[in-house]
Amino acid sequence: MSPEDPIAKHFRLAHAQAAALRKLGLATIRELLYHFPARYEAQGSESSTRELVAGTKVTLYGTLSKLKAKKLWKSRRAITEGWFEDATGRVKCMWFNQPYIASYVSDGSFVRLAGTVGGSEKSPYIANPEFEVVPPGSGPAGGGGTCRRPAGLFEKIPTHGSGLRQNVGAKNSVIPVYPESRGITSLWFYHAIRRVCGSGAHKNIEDPIPENIRKKYHLPDLATALLYIHTPEKKGHAEAARKRFAFEEIFIMQTVRAQERALNDSQTPFRISDGGAHAEKFLESISFPPTRAQSRAIADILKDFSGAHPMARLLEGDVGSGKTLVAAAVSYAVISNRRTFPRESATVPHSSASLQVAYMAPTEILATQHFQSFIEYFRHLPINIALITGSGCWKFPSKVARGKPTAISRTQLLKWVENGEIAMVVGTHALIQKSVKFQNLALAIVDEQHRFGVNQRKALIRRTDAVVPHFLSMTATPIPRTLALTLYGDLDISVLDELPPGRAKVTTKIIKKEQRSEAYESVRRELAVGRQAFVVCPRIEEPDPEKMNALQARSAKAEAKHLQKDVFPEFKVGLLHGTMAQKEKDNCMQDFVSGKIQILVATSVVEVGINVPNATVMMVEGAERFGLAQLHQLRGRIMRSSHPPHCFLLPETFGQVSSKRLKALEKNDDGFKLAEADLETRGAGDLLGRRQWGISDIGMEALKNPRLIQAAREEAFALVREDPALEKHQELAARAAMVSRALHSE
Ligand code: ADP
Ligand code: MG
């Protein structure tokens, strides 16, 4: 068996199994080996139906029959009931909200069933047990009695090679359980992987982690780790293996970042001279002084401008921390320069145009707002600014309307950008179309960068020109340091950890069901004195038939209707959601900005930087469905003025965990601290709602371990410095290339 063989070459797969493997993205033996258990079960917990004690966990072997799906009369909840039977008796089993369970097994199948006993001694039952079909006769002999593993489970496993032998057999006290997947059982993986290891295939994969690094951090080598993770003899094995694979994953990711960084650092930047003096001049021209954090970030960027390679920097700053001012100051420094050519070159174009800046925002609303901000910031300076979006192009200043932007044709805009007459171009994705050509693009800024794919970000700086623009990425998404290093490890980071003075502090309150009308009255009071309100509803990603009853999330549409008709008939309620046409969205936003609408009901589209200073109230429905960081961002929408803002969180359920999480928001207004708390309680996968970043569960766990991240990072950067092409590390090179490809196809 070779690691590169297709699984199907060695295993006869039923149709459903083949489909399940495909869905899991597992095609080769190597991929099968990298499919890790989700958890482990201690062996020895097998018992029989004779000795069921309520509240204890049991693993039983026997038959499952008479499975029937029905609806509970009162709640209309789907329930499947059936009977489990072994040699000593039988017990009722039930599954909630899993109407399809009955179709999983044929009547009378022999199963291994695990769950927690409920009910009483006289009439016990097991609710929502997990089970899988196993060969008849598996389990403690006769379905009751001793706790020995049946020989049948291990008998036929070939035991070539050292390591495996000791890991196979009755000594095995920890049983791996693989991630659930329809069509294929955990047990199939269990046996398949044992056969693979038995053939020695696991030893034919080269270890991507160099030996010296493994030694330094006491990590098992790949072959050992594969055995440890799939067939641990004790808990310690699994733990050592998981630590190794966590390190491996982060190490490979950091290798990719190190390579990206090395590529960046090999390029020639635009020269920006006298940046400090220009930025100073700009800052003197505005009506307020920059915060210390803003000054620091501006200084970081100006320093990069005079470096030997193009800037690659991330500016992280909580909502309202004033990132736009930083962007404006450094843009001004860039625009105040003309292009200079370091060496004599025959191809030097004759041009006196200034250097240019491109500023990309994820939505039309945001691009337009930024266009307006830059007009404000640059009003008194001789700078041409343009806006390009899917629905139109604008330019400032205008020859026809003094002090206002005018609509221009796209052709006209493209011409002026190409001949350098327009120095600052703000836009949406429209900016990265091929037709947009710059004369001297020296600085590319991406706002809310997580909204863009890697390719879109790169498209902004990837020019045919030999000189590469400086790159500034901006985000209001507070992310813990470990995650920032993993995702953006190729960028330097500046943080705005301070808000401009004079902002009123936000009051955040969790509203219980019976307090709802009270909350509405508070909102009414604010509206009555001229303020405006957001009502945010959880976006429903897919119809969720299992939750069609009481738990159905409030949808923005229904809520808007209800609020207008039953709660706030005296005010105007508007609706904004992601699937509306752009034009409708813009009109709606415009009406909210101008105050025609007092209450804006929206899905989380409002999350990203919309600026309506008069909106000081927010209600978040289904608040527990959002990540803390996301809620904090939403709350940022109402922190734009000096009026005291109020944020009401209205969860649908009041579980312990979600209450604790939401309480953190009541207490805390530092986005970064909240992000760390989120990482602790929910794991990184949930930080920003449902987003993943191509990091596995094991990698996500690793994010809670700053020392591991730091070590993997240092080793990867050192290795790439020493061996940039990874010539001495072929396997690592191949794995890094794979990660890089995946990133670029996102
Ligand atoms: P964000 O970081 O969320 O993009 P903005 O750049 O939109 O923040 O700034 C938020 C608000 O704060 C704007 O109205 C801006 O004019 C104001 N602002 C920015 N910097 C300062 C400052 N140093 N002092 C006072 N107000 C500021
Ligand atoms: Mg912003």
Side-chain angles (χ1 to χ4, degrees):
M1 233 185 259
S2 147
E4 308 317 322
D5 283 349
I7 297 170
K9 185 173 163 189
H10 299 283
F11 294 90
R12 205 178 299 146
L13 298 169
H15 185 72
Q17 290 172 325
L21 289 175
R22 248 195 324 277
K23 207 160 160 215
L24 289 167
L26 307 177
T28 65
I29 295 294
R30 172 203 285 262
E31 283 159 357
L32 185 60
L33 281 167
Y34 266 89
H35 184 66
F36 299 147
R39 60 192 170 81
Y40 301 87
E41 257 173 28
Q43 198 196 334
S45 57
E46 285 101 307
S47 37
S48 72
T49 52
R50 190 173 40 197
E51 43 202 42
L52 296 178
V53 180
T56 57
K57 282 194 172 166
V58 288
T59 304
L60 303 167
Y61 287 85
T63 57
L64 197 55
S65 54
K66 305 204 183 74
L67 255 53
K68 253 195 211 86
K70 55 183 183 184
K71 282 247 161 87
L72 282 181
W73 179 75
K74 230 179 178 169
S75 63
R76 309 300 303 148
R77 263 222 290 182
I79 179 173
T80 302
E81 286 180 351
W83 288 94
F84 173 87
E85 191 167 0
D86 67 9
T88 61
R90 61 179 204 162
V91 60
K92 190 172 191 174
C93 296
M94 51 188 110
W95 292 265
F96 294 100
N97 294 327
Q98 300 178 59
Y100 45 82
I101 277 269
S103 63
Y104 272 13
V105 283
S106 44
D107 202 52
S109 296
F110 195 85
V111 298
R112 180 169 68 129
L113 181 132
T116 306
V117 182
S120 63
E121 200 182 327
K122 268 204 185 129
S123 57
Y125 62 84
I126 307 178
N128 297 318
E130 291 177 19
F131 66 87
E132 57 191 1
V133 178
V134 295
S138 301
T146 64
C147 290
R148 222 174 342 102
R149 267 271 167 193
L153 273 178
F154 300 102
E155 232 168 28
K156 293 196 197 79
I157 296 160
T159 54
H160 321 279
S162 65
L164 185 67
R165 196 183 300 271
Q166 358 155 353
N167 266 30
V168 169
K171 261 164 76 189
N172 233 62
S173 59
V174 193
I175 308 295
V177 180
Y178 291 88
E180 241 170 79
S181 176
R182 212 179 164 153
I184 200 155
T185 62
S186 175
L187 204 68
W188 185 87
F189 284 108
Y190 179 79
H191 287 305
I193 291 172
R194 280 176 162 249
R195 224 173 89 198
V196 170
C197 292
S199 82
H202 66 292
K203 282 187 261 167
N204 297 331
I205 307 177
E206 219 183 295
D207 198 326
I209 311 177
E211 194 183 339
N212 62 332
I213 297 178
R214 274 189 335 249
K215 288 252 158 72
K216 188 163 157 192
Y217 299 99
H218 310 290
L219 304 170
D221 65 33
L222 180 57
T224 307
L226 283 170
L227 280 183
Y228 276 7
I229 205 159
H230 290 297
T231 61
E233 250 182 68
K234 47 185 189 219
K235 259 242 134 88
H237 280 169
E239 273 158 25
R242 292 182 90 82
K243 182 176 148 210
R244 183 229 133 90
F245 286 114
F247 185 93
E248 174 180 319
E249 183 167 335
I250 302 296
F251 177 66
I252 291 168
M253 282 193 145
Q254 289 295 344
T255 302
V256 175
R257 309 292 174 228
Q259 287 175 311
E260 279 166 3
R261 186 69 208 202
L263 175 67
N264 180 77
D265 292 358
S266 70
Q267 289 165 322
T268 313
F270 274 89
R271 288 289 309 274
I272 316 283
S273 8
D274 299 329
H278 293 307
E280 198 58 44
K281 186 175 153 212
F282 167 79
L283 291 171
E284 275 164 16
S285 77
I286 57 168
S287 55
F288 45 75
T291 62
R292 266 167 318 195
Q294 284 171 323
S295 299
R296 268 199 309 272
I298 292 170
D300 286 347
I301 295 167
L302 295 176
K303 186 150 174 268
D304 290 348
F305 281 170
S306 56
H309 47 72
M311 169 171 78
R313 184 171 287 278
L314 176 68
L315 177 60
E316 275 188 88
D318 221 334
V319 186
S321 58
K323 293 182 291 296
T324 319
L325 176 69
V326 174
V330 301
S331 295
Y332 183 73
V334 168
I335 292 165
S336 302
N337 271 263
R338 294 182 194 291
R339 186 165 184 174
T340 55
F341 291 86
R343 271 171 257 118
E344 278 306 315
S345 160
T347 58
V348 173
H350 180 76
S351 166
S352 64
S354 73
L355 296 185
Q356 290 169 300
V357 178
Y359 187 107
M360 184 159 77
T363 66
E364 211 154 314
I365 299 175
L366 276 175
T368 309
Q369 278 199 351
H370 280 119
F371 178 55
Q372 280 154 356
S373 301
F374 287 120
I375 290 176
E376 273 315 305
Y377 281 131
F378 295 146
R379 187 172 282 280
H380 49 284
L381 301 163
I383 294 174
N384 287 327
I385 315 170
L387 172 68
I388 175 170
T389 69
S391 53
C393 298
W394 296 76
K395 176 177 172 288
F396 178 90
S398 129
K399 292 196 184 89
V400 281
R402 282 198 74 199
K404 285 207 175 123
T406 33
I408 56 172
S409 75
R410 197 183 145 78
T411 325
Q412 190 62 67
L413 177 137
L414 293 180
K415 200 181 112 199
W416 281 335
V417 172
E418 186 161 9
N419 71 15
E421 217 164 292
I422 290 175
M424 172 116 207
V425 192
V426 181
T428 54
H429 304 81
L431 254 180
I432 52 179
Q433 284 155 6
K434 279 216 182 68
S435 52
V436 185
K437 296 197 183 73
F438 289 85
Q439 165 84 260
N440 296 311
L441 180 62
L443 171 62
I445 304 175
V446 174
D447 194 18
E448 298 302 343
Q449 53 85 36
H450 68 279
R451 288 291 188 110
F452 295 98
V454 175
N455 279 338
Q456 291 172 316
R457 274 179 262 157
K458 293 225 160 125
L460 195 57
I461 47 172
R462 201 186 302 121
R463 301 277 151 191
T464 47
D465 212 318
V467 191
V468 173
H470 297 284
F471 178 62
L472 180 63
S473 209
M474 305 205 295
T475 183
T477 310
I479 36 180
R481 197 177 143 71
T482 51
L483 184 58
L485 283 179
T486 304
L487 296 177
Y488 312 120
D490 54 324
L491 305 176
D492 297 311
I493 299 180
S494 296
V495 180
L496 296 183
D497 51 6
E498 176 184 10
L499 293 181
R503 297 277 169 82
K505 256 196 152 33
V506 65
T507 343
T508 302
K509 206 166 170 240
I510 301 170
I511 302 297
K512 303 219 177 76
K513 287 209 172 69
E514 63 274 15
Q515 299 171 315
R516 180 173 281 271
S517 52
E518 239 171 87
Y520 281 145
E521 288 320 305
S522 312
V523 174
R524 198 185 312 281
R525 273 194 299 279
E526 290 296 311
L527 296 177
V529 295
R531 304 280 98 77
Q532 287 165 286
F534 286 110
V535 176
V536 181
C537 297
R539 187 205 302 266
I540 303 159
E541 279 164 333
E542 56 213 50
D544 198 351
E546 273 170 30
K547 296 192 180 132
M548 279 312 249
N549 307 322
L551 281 179
Q552 177 70 339
R554 289 173 182 255
S555 83
K557 277 187 198 165
E559 194 62 13
K561 254 198 212 133
H562 165 64
L563 289 178
Q564 181 71 84
K565 197 165 142 261
D566 310 322
V567 187
F568 298 112
E570 72 271 41
F571 297 109
K572 185 107 181 60
V573 179
L575 173 67
L576 185 73
H577 60 77
T579 57
M580 270 160 64
Q582 191 58 50
K583 194 89 201 138
E584 280 179 281
K585 277 191 218 166
D586 288 349
N587 288 344
C588 174
M589 229 22 249
Q590 213 42 58
D591 287 350
F592 192 56
V593 171
S594 69
K596 252 197 227 162
I597 291 172
Q598 287 86 45
I599 303 169
L600 185 63
V601 180
T603 52
S604 54
V605 278
V606 295
E607 178 193 338
V608 184
I610 291 171
N611 195 6
V612 185
N614 193 45
T616 58
V617 191
M618 175 172 283
M619 304 186 90
V620 185
E621 297 287 350
E624 80 279 22
R625 291 167 167 254
F626 296 94
L628 284 185
Q630 204 183 3
L631 285 169
H632 178 66
Q633 282 224 299
L634 284 168
R635 182 169 70 168
R637 301 295 121 239
I638 52 168
M639 294 166 68
R640 306 232 144 195
S641 78
S642 48
H643 299 293
H646 300 279
C647 177
F648 300 106
L649 305 174
L650 302 109
E652 282 158 9
T653 57
F654 290 84
Q656 234 179 11
V657 180
S658 62
S659 295
K660 197 172 149 215
R661 283 181 48 240
L662 295 181
K663 284 215 177 86
L665 269 153
E666 280 187 325
K667 278 200 293 262
N668 220 319
D669 52 17
D670 180 327
F672 289 93
K673 285 215 185 84
L674 284 170
E676 303 277 356
D678 229 5
L679 182 64
E680 282 295 312
T681 54
R682 295 217 299 179
D686 272 336
L687 258 187
L688 296 169
R690 293 267 161 96
R691 274 187 66 96
Q692 297 282 333
W693 300 277
I695 304 177
S696 76
D697 289 351
I698 280 190
M700 288 291 179
E701 273 308 300
L703 293 177
K704 294 183 184 172
N705 184 348
R707 274 173 51 216
L708 186 155
I709 302 286
Q710 197 58 39
R713 178 173 173 77
E714 274 163 23
E715 297 299 342
F717 273 72
L719 194 139
V720 168
R721 217 175 300 129
E722 211 171 274
D723 181 9
L726 299 181
E727 275 163 12
K728 284 187 255 118
H729 304 276
Q730 295 293 326
E731 180 65 20
L732 179 60
R735 295 281 299 275
M738 244 163 64
V739 169
S740 181
R741 264 201 306 281
L743 275 177
H744 286 92
S745 64
E746 80 178 24

